[in-house]
Amino acid sequence: MLDPQAQALMTLLSEKGIPPVYTQTPLEARASYHARRSLTQPDAPGLGRVQDLQFSHAGVSIAVRVYHPTGTAAVAGALPALVYLHGGGWTVGDLDTHDVLCRSLCQQAQGVVVAVDYRMGPEHKFPAAYDDALAAWQWVAAQAQTLGIDPERIAIGGDSAGGNLAAAACLGLRDLGLKPLMQLLIYPSTLMAPDTDSYKTNGQGYMLTRDSMAWYSGNYLRGPQDAQDWRASPQLAASHANLPPAFVLTAGFDPLRDEGLLYADALSRAGVSSQYICFERQIHGFITMGRVLQEANTAVSLCAQALRTAWAVA
């Protein structure tokens, strides 16, 4: 059964006549996504400190937002950290659309969160976003002392497209001899050309549709050949061994549900510690909607607990 609160939200959005994302230009879709956040997101929790910074790699300047928690842990020296990559189909979303989520993870987990405003399509095609994700984790590690971060306890994570980038970045970092402490994958996209049961059964009527997914991937990828590249489809990597432990969270009425499960299973088969949790009655994108979906707040708390546990045993 679909969560009644999720059903009520979808009914409201339908009544408001919000056009499907694939019928809009990227600029229109970004503005619409940005405007809707006040309807569904909870109030932003206060924090000890929030900084907007930038870093450069390969001649590109990337904006980041660094969140420090309040409380005793905030003054106890170097804190653990999470490098966070927002969702939005590699096309929409920014530091503001995921500000509340990053603040909540920061405060509840009592660690630093570094949100990354990576480059997006169609202006910047694959592998630009992947390159930015890889560089962001390396920059945070290199600047750990300046940022008040423990360099041995830096995780990486994201939701949807951000989960895709986090998973792919872990593969790329492994091949460079580097390893985040853990990977937090919230309904991640792991296959650019999916043929899963959830893609077929949930691809219409539950917010994220097959048409929307095709629009997003079309904005991001240069062509069909990119879908076979593990940097775009981390499920297709030759090996998933020696990757960071993972906490994978999915939604039951999400076309991406099976991609998250497949990835968790691939990690487990490769000997990587992997936890998998599915919110069976939820829809894609629900974790940012805590104003109208009670389970969103539960999901945020679970993610924060997973981070705290990983940081505590490091």
Side-chain angles (χ1 to χ4, degrees):
M1 176 179 174
L2 183 66
D3 176 17
Q5 291 182 322
Q7 180 62 69
L9 172 63
M10 292 193 300
T11 299
L12 176 62
L13 293 177
S14 176
E15 290 173 350
K16 286 184 173 292
I18 296 175
V21 67
Y22 60 86
T23 67
Q24 303 178 63
T25 68
L27 289 179
E28 290 170 342
R30 289 167 190 161
S32 176
Y33 187 50
H34 203 273
R36 289 201 309 272
R37 73 190 197 281
S38 61
L39 173 69
T40 58
Q41 294 188 12
D43 294 337
L47 296 177
R49 180 160 46 107
V50 179
Q51 299 170 281
D52 284 329
L53 303 173
Q54 290 188 335
F55 76 93
S56 297
H57 76 96
V60 176
S61 182
I62 303 297
V64 296
R65 185 168 293 167
V66 185
Y67 302 86
H68 288 260
T70 60
T72 55
V75 294
L79 291 174
L82 168 69
V83 176
Y84 196 83
L85 302 150
H86 67 79
W90 311 275
T91 306
V92 305
D94 55 28
L95 298 179
D96 292 334
T97 61
H98 285 65
D99 182 72
V100 173
L101 176 59
C102 288
R103 285 171 175 267
S104 299
L105 290 172
C106 171
Q107 188 59 29
Q108 291 187 39
Q110 284 290 288
V112 176
V113 174
V114 182
V116 183
D117 195 19
Y118 57 85
R119 289 172 293 168
M120 298 189 298
E123 297 89 348
H124 304 285
K125 293 285 191 175
F126 172 85
Y130 164 82
D131 290 339
D132 293 350
L134 198 71
W137 191 89
Q138 293 174 282
W139 176 78
V140 172
Q143 297 296 315
Q145 183 174 1
T146 301
L147 297 172
I149 289 170
D150 180 352
E152 302 300 319
R153 294 190 291 163
I154 305 175
I156 190 168
D159 61 292
S160 193
N164 165 279
L165 296 173
C170 285
L171 289 160
L173 290 167
R174 176 199 61 187
D175 295 345
L176 293 173
L178 302 170
K179 191 173 185 178
L181 182 68
M182 73 164 289
Q183 46 186 323
L184 174 64
L185 308 179
I186 302 169
Y187 32 77
S189 166
T190 64
L191 286 167
M192 281 294 188
D195 187 31
T196 62
D197 287 343
S198 64
Y199 175 77
K200 297 170 184 176
T201 59
N202 297 332
Q204 189 66 37
Y206 302 107
M207 296 282 279
L208 180 63
T209 65
R210 288 187 293 271
D211 288 336
S212 297
M213 292 170 65
W215 185 82
Y216 285 130
S217 61
N219 285 329
Y220 181 43
L221 302 181
R222 296 166 297 187
Q225 73 282 355
D226 283 342
Q228 303 305 311
D229 191 315
W230 61 262
R231 295 172 298 172
S233 297
Q235 183 72 37
L236 302 182
S239 171
H240 295 95
N242 302 313
L243 290 171
F247 184 85
V248 184
L249 185 149
T250 63
F253 286 87
D254 184 351
L256 300 185
R257 180 196 65 211
D258 291 353
E259 295 181 43
L261 176 58
L262 286 168
Y263 203 69
D265 285 348
L267 294 172
S268 294
R269 278 194 300 272
V272 175
S273 174
S274 175
Q275 297 183 68
Y276 174 80
I277 293 178
C278 181
F279 279 73
E280 293 289 355
R281 307 200 307 167
Q282 282 304 335
I283 56 176
H284 186 79
F286 80 99
I287 202 167
T288 59
M289 302 179 185
R291 184 180 294 277
V292 293
L293 302 177
Q294 288 177 310
E295 287 191 340
N297 300 314
T298 303
V300 173
S301 295
L302 280 175
C303 292
Q305 179 61 52
L307 287 167
R308 285 199 306 271
T309 299
W311 290 335
V313 300

